Amino acid sequence: KMIRLTATVHGYVQGVSFRYYTQLTANKLGVVGYARNQPDRTVFVVAEGEEEQVQALARWLEKGSPAARVSRVEKDFSTATGEFRHFQIRL
């Protein structure tokens, strides 16, 4: 079953390679979508793929990159749209 994760990651998550590690993890899991820094210092993530892999990425977001300090993750799951071909870092 293909699903979509929309997540906002709060905490010390900018300037710590969070988007880069998110992309590495997504690629390893075979998940597509993007990660983007937000003006409020959060990181916004949209990811699509097989349910098990997307859930694994959602769990990874709770910890994040080695230097990150994640305080909370707002997550919403829905049906995948199929609009992405790879995972990218958006500016």
Side-chain angles (χ1 to χ4, degrees):
K1 176 181 171 193
M2 300 291 280
I3 66 168
R4 179 184 185 112
L5 165 68
T6 304
T8 301
V9 185
H10 297 260
Y12 182 61
V13 292
Q14 288 192 17
V16 291
S17 300
F18 193 92
R19 293 173 301 159
Y20 170 76
Y21 280 98
T22 301
Q23 183 182 44
L24 281 181
T25 304
N27 287 338
K28 191 184 310 184
L29 292 167
V31 173
V32 296
Y34 67 91
R36 177 180 69 214
N37 283 345
Q38 299 287 86
D40 65 358
R41 307 294 293 161
T42 61
V43 173
F44 183 71
V45 177
V46 176
E48 292 188 354
E50 292 288 340
E51 184 172 12
E52 188 175 315
Q53 281 72 27
V54 173
Q55 291 284 1
L57 181 64
R59 288 189 299 274
W60 182 88
L61 291 174
E62 299 282 347
K63 288 186 262 183
S65 64
R69 297 293 173 262
V70 176
S71 59
R72 79 180 199 278
V73 182
E74 297 171 33
K75 295 178 271 205
D76 181 61
F77 294 95
S78 57
T79 304
T81 64
E83 66 186 279
F84 307 110
R85 295 290 162 250
H86 56 279
F87 197 96
Q88 62 183 186
I89 295 171
R90 291 191 179 173
L91 302 178

